[in-house]
Every structure is written in C-alpha cells, then in structure tokens.
Amino acid sequence: MSGTTPSGTVTAVSGNGEYSFTKPNRDSITLLAGLGVDGDVHAGVTVKHRSRMAQDPTRPNLRQVHLIHEELFADVSAEGFEVTPGDLGENITTRGIDLLGLPVGTLLRVGDDAVLEVTGLRNPCLQIDAFRDGLLKQVVGRDETGNIVRKAGIMSIVKAGGVVRPGDPIDAELPSGPHRPLDRV
C-alpha cells in the first residue's frame, strides 16, 4: 500500500433496528458521529453487541459500523456457500479496497461527508454456522505459521456523520507512524 491511497466503492448498505444475524439492505444509511448507523441496534457510545454487553456494558463501542469486502462472497461461493450483502450482519459492503490489510486508525472517507476510523477486525462467532453450516471455517482460518486469520470484515467508529449509499466512493487515509495490523475488537 505504500505510495498509494487505497480506495474502493460501496456496493450495498444495510441496517436493522432489531437484533438479528442478518441486516436488510437499504437505499441509504445515515452515519451519526460517535454513535454508528442511525436506527441500527448496534449504534451507541457503549458496546451494543450482546456478548460484549454481557462482559461489560460500560466499554466504548469500537464496533459501531461493520464493513465487509464483497470479494469475500466470491471466495466463499467457490466453496459452495451463497452469501449476499447484509447476510453476515455488515452495515457497509465494499468492493476494490483491501479492508483486511488496512492498519488500525485508518480513516475511511465514504460518500460526501462520512468518515469512519478503523478499529479492528470482526471476530466471527458461531452464529455464522447457524446461518450457513460450515461457513465459519471459511471466514476464520490459519495461515502457514498457524496464526488465526479472520476474514469477516472490519469494525469502525464514526468520526463524521453523513449519508452513505451504494455507489459511493471510499478513500482511505492511512495513519502516520508504523503500520499497526488489525486485531479483533
């Protein structure tokens, strides 16, 4: 990524006001600074994911907006799994940007006004297998040295709000300093 500004496109946006694994696609979503997706069950200053709330409901919400790269769907399709935007609970589906390769602290400028700050990797859970049996093994694996590799997208917080629609551009602004690889949040 040195010398280039990673960029891509929004292919779908999704949100849900109720707890469910999947999120229905929308014509647009509105991101609210410091909160997340307007009307989405996971929006808030403190954690909103059920497992995180059970551990400590006062922790900051570093998982306000979930992004997944559309390229993952083609990868799992080759293994016999049909997955479409919103199926894995993401808010923004992207194309053309290596989300998993971005460092912590990357700013994503989405559409005209919205700015997201990348906080880390989504940690896929067993709900993925409840959605499609065997899919968890496709989105979590190990590299050649035995390290866990998580492929189910990244998490972010909203730094500046705005409306996001399919077709909107995404431009990444890499942080200064050493590259800090993403870890689960």
Side-chain angles (χ1 to χ4, degrees), residues 12-167:
V13 294
S14 309
N16 199 343
E18 299 176 10
Y19 283 104
S20 70
F21 185 70
T22 62
K23 294 187 184 221
N25 295 155
R26 308 280 183 207
D27 293 332
S28 67
I29 55 173
T30 300
L31 302 182
L32 303 174
L35 295 173
V37 178
D38 188 23
D40 192 84
V41 71
H42 294 113
V45 174
T46 56
V47 294
K48 299 300 176 200
H49 288 77
R50 288 177 173 167
S51 64
R52 303 291 195 281
M53 290 188 326
Q55 293 172 358
D56 181 357
T58 66
R59 293 190 61 132
N61 187 2
L62 301 178
R63 300 165 53 101
Q64 293 175 355
V65 180
H66 176 202
L67 297 92
I68 282 186
H69 50 295
E70 186 178 75
E71 292 84 354
L72 176 66
F73 304 155
D75 292 346
V76 299
S77 177
E79 299 298 323
F81 295 92
E82 181 185 345
V83 179
T84 60
D87 281 352
L88 299 181
E90 76 276 11
N91 301 109
I92 299 175
T93 309
T94 69
R95 181 185 321 118
I97 185 169
D98 179 12
L99 296 176
L100 303 178
L102 297 172
V104 172
T106 298
L107 296 179
L108 298 175
R109 300 185 185 285
V110 186
D112 293 333
D113 302 308
V115 179
L116 300 170
E117 181 180 333
V118 176
T119 56
L121 295 168
R122 177 189 183 183
N123 190 31
C125 64
L126 289 174
Q127 288 183 353
I128 289 178
D129 271 350
F131 172 70
R132 298 272 190 281
D133 189 37
L135 184 57
L136 183 60
K137 286 184 180 180
Q138 301 301 315
V139 298
V140 178
R142 294 202 179 263
D143 65 16
E144 57 281 347
T145 59
N147 296 311
I148 294 175
V149 176
R150 293 171 179 87
K151 304 177 203 172
I154 63 171
M155 306 306 283
S156 64
I157 57 174
V158 182
K159 300 301 277 183
V163 175
V164 177
R165 296 176 179 84

